[in-house]
Amino acid sequence: MGPRINVFKREPFQFTARADWQDGKLQTDVTFDVPRDKRLVIENISATLEAPIGQEITATQVRTVVNNVVAWHSVFVPKTATFENKLNVYSGGQRVRLYADPGTTVNILVSRNSSQCTFPCGTTLVFISGYLLPVKSPSLAP
């Protein structure tokens, strides 16, 4: 037999970032904290975003921190429909491999091209899934 390898259990992780557009605001920004004793590995990001007719979603980004380096990761979310001539709908998903250090804050930011709102103003939903690893895990590999 070969040497015994310490295997650290991965803990499934999911987060839903939901925000309603506010009049006068160009962005929605939802945050969550990575537990101090875990490292987060993000494997999938998907989104369903609404914007008032005549407005466009200009960016969907996830901010992570690794070794004190901040990175803004862009996610492509295309326009897929117009709902009842009132809302533009954007939806899509992307497989990724992103990391966030223990005790850091992850931001989910969605931007639009106008800060004005008329009813309905719309909602942003961004879904993140992946897993948490103990800080002492020797490997981030699956």
Side-chain angles (χ1 to χ4, degrees):
M1 275 191 167
R4 185 179 173 131
I5 298 173
N6 288 334
V7 178
F8 288 82
K9 185 177 179 182
R10 295 187 292 177
E11 184 180 324
F13 176 86
Q14 287 190 142
F15 182 80
T16 299
R18 182 189 190 283
D20 295 321
W21 289 112
Q22 301 297 315
D23 191 34
K25 301 286 185 182
L26 284 170
Q27 300 171 326
T28 63
D29 188 7
V30 177
T31 64
F32 66 89
D33 294 326
V34 179
R36 291 202 172 282
D37 61 340
K38 306 283 183 182
R39 179 171 285 109
L40 175 62
V41 180
I42 300 171
E43 296 184 303
N44 191 69
I45 302 170
S46 59
T48 300
L49 314 170
E50 300 170 338
I53 217 65
Q55 294 184 20
E56 297 178 9
I57 301 295
T58 57
T60 304
Q61 298 176 304
V62 176
R63 176 194 172 273
T64 61
V65 178
V66 175
N67 294 325
N68 293 317
V69 176
V70 174
W72 285 95
H73 308 278
S74 293
V75 180
F76 177 65
V77 184
K79 182 178 174 183
T80 53
T82 299
F83 181 68
E84 293 184 2
N85 237 5
K86 294 179 182 173
L87 290 172
N88 289 322
V89 179
Y90 296 73
S91 60
Q94 188 172 331
R95 286 183 54 100
V96 295
R97 177 68 54 97
L98 308 178
Y99 304 100
D101 277 349
T104 61
T105 298
V106 175
N107 293 69
I108 299 102
L109 184 77
V110 179
S111 303
R112 60 183 174 154
N113 67 341
S114 173
S115 63
Q116 296 180 339
C117 258
T118 57
F119 183 79
C121 199
T123 298
T124 63
L125 290 165
V126 179
F127 309 97
I128 291 178
S129 64
Y131 56 91
L132 294 163
L133 283 173
V135 172
K136 296 180 183 194
S137 177
S139 172
L140 295 175

